[in-house]
Amino acid sequence: MSTTLPTPPVLSGGKGLLGHVKEFTNDRHALFHRGQQELGAIYTLKMPGQKIAVLNSPDYLKKLFEETDKSLSIEKGLKMFKPIFGEIGLIAGKETYQNQRPVIYESFKRKRMATHIQAMQIETTRWLKGLDAQGELVLQDHMITLTQQVATLAFFGKEFQNQVGPTFWEQFKILSDSLDLVLPGWLPLPKFRRRDKAKEVIVELVSDIIAERQKNANQYDDFLQTYIETPLVDGTHLSVRELAIHVISLAFAGHETTSIQAAWTMIQLLQNPEYLALVQREVDTHLPQGTVLTPDLLMKLEHVFWAVDETTRMRPSADMTQRVVEKELELGGFRIPKGWMIIAPSRNIQRMPELFSDPERYNPFRFAPGKEEHKLHPHSITGFGGNSHQCAGMYFARNEMATIVALMLQQYEWELVSDPQIDFRPGISQITESTLRYQKRKQPEQLVPFNAASYPTEVLAACPHLAQLAEAETREAVPM
Ligand code: HEM
């Protein structure tokens, strides 16, 4: 490896001990945009005790994924999670991760999806039934609780939900609040002490459930049981403690990200009434009131899924990918030394005009057959990661977001009272408080007959379903 190459140029500003910390914390998307404008696809940020190379291009992102577990470490890039998870899953070293990988992938196999969708349907319906006929709610608060309930029922089962659910999620919040991007997790701070205590409470709760399942294995056949019974590559099994910590990691990976993107999907729909009308029509066609959502019906809701995907592009909760360099890397005529951190700002890449037409515009039709802009580059959308570490729960999460949106629209009319903003948290793009007004829909809803003239030409041209209907309408109007 050449050592004569320069390191990437340093972005302007970032003076003093804190470097670019303030800009990063306030609005990292704006910082990455400024970097791209000033220096292009690769540049350096300064943070206390840490140099960071930002890779602002899908080709470099491809390289980042290819080099993960080779010259790049995922484990060190996620070190703020280490005090909670220690040696499990992708937070572990690469050998341990490889050894445990079959358990993760066996449990996420497709055959469980129908049961998962049922859990999504049950919990979303339960939530909606608990609402008044009309009122106001803070969307993100409801999405958090709902996605927790879905994760508990789908992944860990009914007895877990009934016996330990509320305590589990109370203690889980303490773990989640303890995450800190800057302070080392071993410091003797009250929040870190609370974290360690909460972790032990959860481990004890979950261990009892696992012990019961190990004793009566033949009575269970679900996601958690697959986790318990699947052997590791070396032929051994996860210990009870390791299993309990995996449960915490699945809860971490599986609900907050989904809750944020589900909330944004609904909000972006409400901000784009023209597209919302098409989604509403689709829901009323395939899922009229009184119809129970099944996996087959869910798969018919194409406009809903395009909306979910457009929100993943525009408002990803996992807005950047990070790694630590273990072996010096050469990229774009620069060297990135060992010990540097690498960040690829997925959210900014997902808005590049080279990849997406009119990228700042909300346009779910870019995912429709015939357009499929996301297929132009294999790493144009990486809100669910990429390559060997791509999100194991991606299909689960997409189905969950689609279920939530579809059932919300089936049951209620919604109005946006306050627009939310992005709330930059360590490792995740959160959403600020947003209030929705709601009103129970009258039943049964009568589907308004299709009339091509009521749609703008560009919407008719973009939507393959409307185009078909318009063609049929013309055919019927022409005397044979
Ligand atoms: C909208 C929701 C979600 C988003 C945005 C999301 C995002 C991501 C991303 C970006 C990664 C890769 C991290 C990296 O390469 O550094 C990842 C990995 C992972 N996610 Fe998700 N995720 C979501 C939902 C879920 C759900 C519901 C689960 C289920 C528990 C889940 C489980 C996992 C697991 C197990 C991995 C590690 C895969 C591996 O390293 O082999 N995620 N997720």
Side-chain angles (χ1 to χ4, degrees), residues 37 65 158 168 186 212 240-241 244 257 304 307 461 466:
Q37 298 293 306
F65 287 128
K158 220 189 257 171
F168 176 86
W186 49 259
E212 147 62 21
V240 173
R241 187 176 173 83
T257 42
V304 174
L466 287 183

Side-chain angles (χ1 to χ4, degrees), residues 226-239:
T226 312
Y227 233 93
I228 293 171
E229 290 178 13
T230 304
L232 310 181
V233 172
D234 66 9
T236 63
H237 286 81
L238 291 167
S239 69

